[in-house]
Each structure stands twice: as structure tokens, then as C-alpha cells.
Amino acid sequence: MFQVPRIALLIIFSFLSSQVFAQDYDLGKTAYQEGDYERAITELKPLAEDGHKESQFYMGLLYDLGEGYEQDYVQAAHWYKLSADQGYSDAQYNLALLYEYGEGVEQSYEESFKWFLLSAEQGDASAQYNVAIAYDFGEGVEVDHVAAIKWYLLAAHQGHVRAQYNLAVSYDEGEGIGRDYKQAFKWYSLAAEQDHKNAQYNLALLYYYGDGVLRDDMQAYIWMSASATEGDEDAVEMRAEIGAKLRRSELEKARRLVKQCIESSYSDCSVEF
């Protein structure tokens, strides 16, 4: 009689188990995304208890946000930690946040930095930004502006708007890196296009003073108006100062371009002659 070798049976069993895990996880994840938290718990909790890192993360999220359970940061930390210990980046990031704010765990910038770094090393842009902040302000690690620049760059290249802004400020002020107005202009521009009002304000100043870019009062007026629209009170006063330097025809054109700029969600803000 033909007998299947023991090793083959183990491989088959492992394969079938992984298939069942994947199917149940997909059902649980879909239920969570649809707001059916009771069904999500039914599908995900057994998997999480069996060590499935993605399911452990979702269990943490359910407790963290009070979805399907009463909000319980201690339980959230428990499940995030189980997942994070298995290298799951999202769990590492959320666990870092709990340590940063002391929710469900004893507040610790050192532990927060540890978990942000592990997530950042896997490419998470928000974690990279937080590692940069930690180095910039000495939260859980010694101040190191050069290291902060490294992590701001990694996050900024992924489109993280606050990283782009902080990187621009670093180039603008020469902190952690040589002062370079052209690089400041580049990163302020990218952040400004993502509705960052402080970046819009500082970009307008670069145009106004001709730092890193040819001086252009009309372009300065456009970006200062954008910042004012986003709620920067200082920009309102500065816009008036810039507008006073424009001829009537230029001011009328600038106002039309401001409307175009805002309606395009800041993707079409260039002056064309």
C-alpha cells in the first residue's frame, strides 16, 4: 500500500493551514474595512491568538480605536507588541505612538524611538519622519541634526509633507546641513503643493527676496495668498505688503492666478507671460 511520507504530510498540512489562515484573514480584514467590527473580531481573534501578526495588528487597532470593543490602550499595546515583535511595521509604528503618549504603557521616548526606528528601517514614511523629529529634538536619543536630515530625506522622497517642510527649513537655516536656498526652494515647493501653509508662506518669501530663485513679486503674491487662504494670519499682512509693490495690471492678473492656483489644489500656480 502506498504511504505518503511524513514530511510530505507536514508540508501539505502546512500549506492547507496557511490557505485557511489567509482566507479567514481576508474575511476579517474586509469586515473591518466595512465597519463590521463584530465579524472582524470573530475572524481575526482566533488567528491573532494563533500568532498571525497581521491579525494581531488589527486586534490592537480595534482596542486602540474602540471599534467593536471599549477603547483599551493596555490591550491595544498587548496586541501591537505581539505583532511588532514579529516585525510587522504598522504594529511597530502604532506601538511607538503609544509609548510616545504613554497610552496603555509607561511613557518612554526611548521605547518610542526604538519602535519608530524599526518601522522606519522597513520604509514607513511616517516612522522615518518621527525618527527625524527624535534626532532633531533629542527625544529618546541624543540630538543629531545630521541624522535628522538623513531621515527627513527618506520620508520627503516618499512625499511626506511635514518631512518636506522640515527638510526645507533645515536647508533654509543651514541646520544639520549646509545652507542651500535652491534646495530649500525645491522642498518648500513640494510641501506647498500639498497645502502646507507654512511652506507656502516661506516659499513666497523666497520669491519675494530672490533667495534660491529669481525674484518674482507676482509669484510671491500668489503663494502668500495661498498661505492666507489656508489660515496663516501673518500671510494676510505680508500679502498686502507684496501687493503694494505690484502695478494695478499685475495685481489683477495675480488675483486671477491665485484663483486658478487654489482651484487646482495648488498644482497650477505658476506665472506664465
Side-chain angles (χ1 to χ4, degrees), residues 28-222:
K29 182 179 178 181
T30 299
Y32 177 85
Q33 292 171 340
E34 293 176 350
D36 187 350
Y37 303 125
E38 184 176 343
R39 176 69 184 278
I41 292 167
T42 299
E43 299 293 345
L44 295 173
K45 187 176 181 181
L47 299 179
E49 290 172 340
D50 282 340
H52 188 255
K53 62 185 179 182
E54 290 88 350
S55 298
Q56 290 169 340
F57 166 73
Y58 272 101
M59 288 299 296
L61 201 59
L62 287 161
Y63 277 112
D64 194 355
L65 302 179
E67 296 170 333
Y69 292 110
E70 283 191 25
Q71 192 171 53
D72 187 333
Y73 291 127
V74 173
Q75 281 295 314
H78 166 74
W79 287 110
Y80 284 150
K81 179 68 162 53
L82 290 174
S83 180
D85 281 338
Q86 295 192 69
Y88 196 62
S89 178
D90 289 346
Q92 291 169 342
Y93 179 79
N94 284 9
L95 183 59
L97 290 176
L98 293 184
Y99 274 110
E100 182 175 3
Y101 296 108
E103 295 176 330
V105 293
E106 185 177 348
Q107 198 280 335
S108 171
Y109 286 124
E110 289 77 12
E111 281 294 307
S112 179
F113 176 78
K114 166 188 167 181
W115 291 109
F116 275 139
L117 183 60
L118 287 169
S119 181
E121 288 172 342
Q122 295 192 64
D124 186 284
S126 293
Q128 291 168 343
Y129 169 75
N130 279 283
V131 168
I133 288 291
Y135 276 120
D136 233 355
F137 297 96
E139 295 179 346
V141 66
E142 288 187 13
V143 170
D144 187 336
H145 296 305
V146 174
I149 294 296
K150 168 192 168 181
W151 289 105
Y152 282 141
L153 270 168
L154 288 170
H157 279 297
Q158 293 196 68
H160 193 286
V161 64
R162 285 175 292 170
Q164 291 172 341
Y165 173 74
N166 284 13
L167 183 59
V169 170
S170 296
Y171 278 116
D172 199 352
E173 298 179 353
E175 186 171 67
I177 199 166
R179 177 171 283 170
D180 188 330
Y181 288 126
K182 288 185 178 179
Q183 284 294 316
F185 174 79
K186 169 187 173 180
W187 292 109
Y188 280 142
S189 294
L190 289 170
E193 290 169 1
Q194 294 196 68
D195 300 7
H196 195 292
K197 66 180 181 180
N198 292 337
Q200 292 166 342
Y201 183 93
N202 287 355
L203 179 60
L205 290 181
L206 292 185
Y207 274 116
Y208 188 53
Y209 294 112
D211 291 330
V213 65
L214 289 175
R215 179 168 180 171
D216 188 329
D217 288 343
M218 189 178 295
Q219 198 72 70
Y221 183 89
I222 292 168

Side-chain angles (χ1 to χ4, degrees), residues 232-257:
D232 191 307
E233 294 180 4
D234 291 336
V236 176
E237 183 177 343
M238 193 64 195
R239 177 178 58 185
E241 179 180 326
I242 298 169
K245 295 183 179 298
L246 297 173
R247 295 192 297 270
R248 182 181 180 86
S249 60
E250 290 176 326
L251 186 58
E252 289 175 352
K253 180 177 181 179
R255 286 171 175 163
R256 290 196 302 271
L257 290 172

